[in-house]
């Protein structure tokens, strides 16, 4: 090999790698619950409340485990672990939470740092929305919302798992918001499925976290533009 050829053989792969970056891929999959979820509890104070109770025909229950007939588990927050400083939250569309029949809908949410959480009040009832983060740099907020009044807006500055939102008027009302400083997360749907789109090629730890069932992790790799399909299960607790 001449010197010239040797230089070429060393340089060309480096140039190619620099010129064509690897394609991002989607991570999809599903979460199932192993074992039997504990029985949900009746929210009797809601049924007994003179205004909120009238909106329910039967006694509402907790929704700790939203699980299908084949173990499909909803409300699991699936995320890439160990990534930081990649938030696009300020430019991302708002995530909505409503108050319907004196219950938060949805009760489990995930957002990026700086991403707007729009809070609606569909009830003919006064609520207040009281966030209770615990991570330094996140601020507790407490805002009242009259019936038919304008939507409220919350944002959370720092990554934190399961920030508690509550209503001080109705002590059974809770929602939980996980906050990431990157866009690579999803909440599993009613059928247990999730999708994290446009993940840059690389090796990651995928984490699936549920408020009651705890969390599991799995090492995964996104190869140049190839979709990744993951099945995970959590144990009922
Ligand atoms: Cu309320």
């Amino acid at each position: 090999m001449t010197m010239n050829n040797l230089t070429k053989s060393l340089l060309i792969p480096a140039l190619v790698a620099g010129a064509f970056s690897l394609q991002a891929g989607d991570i999809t999959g599903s979460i199932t619950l192993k074992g039997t979820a504990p029985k949900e509890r009746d929210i009797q104070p809601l049924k007994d409340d003179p205004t909120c109770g009238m909106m329910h025909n039967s006694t509402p229950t907790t929704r700790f485990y939203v699980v299908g007939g084949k173990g499909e588990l909803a409300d699991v927050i699936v995320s890439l672990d160990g990534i930081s400083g990649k938030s696009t939250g300020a430019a991302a569309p708002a995530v909505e939470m409503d108050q319907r029949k004196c219950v938060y809908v949805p009760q489990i949410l995930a957002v990026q740092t700086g991403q707007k959480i729009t809070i609606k009040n569909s009830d003919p009832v006064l609520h207040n929305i009281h966030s209770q983060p615990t991570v330094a740099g996140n601020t507790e907020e407490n805002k009242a919302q009259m019936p038919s009044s304008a939507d409220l807006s919350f944002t959370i500055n720092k990554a934190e798992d399961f920030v508690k939102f509550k209503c001080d008027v109705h002590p059974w009302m809770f929602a939980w918001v996980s906050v990431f400083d990157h866009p690579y997360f999803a909440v599993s749907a009613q059928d247990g499925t999730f999708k994290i789109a446009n993940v840059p090629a690389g090796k990651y730890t995928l984490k699936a976290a549920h408020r009651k069932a705890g969390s599991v992790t799995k090492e995964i790799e996104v190869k140049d533009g190839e979709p990744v399909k993951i099945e995970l299960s959590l144990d009922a607790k």
Side-chain angles (χ1 to χ4, degrees), residues 59-148:
T59 306
T61 67
T62 53
R63 289 171 61 80
F64 294 142
Y65 285 92
V66 178
V67 57
K70 291 174 183 153
E72 311 93 317
L73 186 60
D75 290 342
V76 177
I77 296 176
V78 187
S79 64
L80 299 186
D81 211 15
I83 299 178
S84 62
K86 302 272 186 207
S87 181
T88 58
V95 170
E96 261 185 25
M97 181 168 77
D98 197 2
Q99 298 159 105
R100 271 184 239 150
K101 302 183 180 182
C102 301
V103 172
Y104 289 118
V105 183
Q107 293 178 9
I108 302 287
L109 298 90
V111 296
Q112 294 189 64
T113 52
Q115 183 173 12
K116 232 181 222 180
I117 306 163
T118 297
I119 301 194
K120 307 179 100 59
N121 183 4
S122 296
D123 287 336
V125 171
L126 165 76
H127 292 293
N128 79 309
I129 300 91
H130 186 174
S131 67
Q132 298 189 303
T134 58
V135 163
N138 284 340
T139 318
E140 182 170 358
E141 291 187 278
N142 192 351
K143 301 175 187 177
Q145 193 172 33
M146 298 288 286
S148 310

Side-chain angles (χ1 to χ4, degrees), residues 145-210:
Q145 193 172 33
M146 298 288 286
S148 310
S149 65
D151 295 347
L152 295 176
S153 180
F154 281 67
T155 53
I156 302 174
N157 295 327
K158 303 276 182 197
E160 180 171 344
D161 289 338
F162 294 117
V163 176
K164 186 199 278 183
F165 278 60
K166 62 189 283 253
C167 175
D168 300 314
V169 184
H170 307 111
W172 58 82
M173 288 181 72
F174 293 103
W176 306 88
V177 181
S178 279
V179 187
F180 298 93
D181 60 356
H182 59 78
Y184 306 114
F185 58 82
V187 183
S188 67
Q190 199 82 28
D191 63 358
T193 62
F194 68 89
K195 178 179 180 178
I196 303 174
N198 285 317
V199 178
K203 290 183 176 172
Y204 301 99
T205 302
L206 187 78
K207 181 178 177 185
H210 183 268

